[in-house]
Amino acid sequence: MARRVPRLSTTFRRRLDTLGVRAGTREYRAVFATISALETGALPGAADHETEFSPGRAYVRRVAGHNLWIPYRFDDDHIFVMTARGQPPVPLDE
């Protein structure tokens, strides 16, 4: 599979700052390792959850080893990273 191009929202960057995730920290590196995995992996991943995200829905992936969550949408060419959250999402009921 070809690498998807990440699109990071301004909300995502502001939210990282609000959550105290600063450049150069272990958390920051983990966030961007997660985004890198989204770029090349099969989506949605086995541990990803679908959740409400206005407008519509988004998938959410947990940043390994941290209480950080990344809501995203995707197509064949792009990963759209909408924001970051410091608490688990509420999954949609199947």
Side-chain angles (χ1 to χ4, degrees), residues 7-13 53 57-59 70-73 80-84:
R7 301 284 186 211
L8 308 178
S9 73
T10 55
T11 304
F12 170 73
R13 296 205 182 264
F53 194 96
R57 298 175 177 180
Y59 289 97
I70 299 175
Y72 70 92
R73 293 183 178 131
F80 304 95
V81 177
M82 275 94 94
T83 191

Side-chain angles (χ1 to χ4, degrees), residues 1-79:
M1 168 176 269
R3 182 179 283 280
R4 293 179 198 89
V5 177
R7 301 284 186 211
L8 308 178
S9 73
T10 55
T11 304
F12 170 73
R13 296 205 182 264
R14 283 193 308 260
R15 190 68 180 133
L16 286 181
D17 190 50
T18 300
L19 292 168
V21 178
R22 306 278 190 261
T25 63
R26 190 179 75 227
E27 292 86 358
Y28 188 87
R29 287 189 299 274
V31 165
F32 283 91
T34 301
I35 293 170
S36 181
L38 290 170
E39 292 174 26
T40 57
L43 295 179
D48 295 352
H49 301 283
E50 193 172 20
T51 189
E52 294 283 335
F53 194 96
S54 185
R57 298 175 177 180
Y59 289 97
V60 181
R61 181 167 294 186
R62 181 173 186 241
V63 175
H66 301 280
N67 192 27
L68 295 169
W69 304 83
I70 299 175
Y72 70 92
R73 293 183 178 131
F74 67 97
D75 61 25
D76 290 339
D77 300 316
H78 298 91
I79 287 291

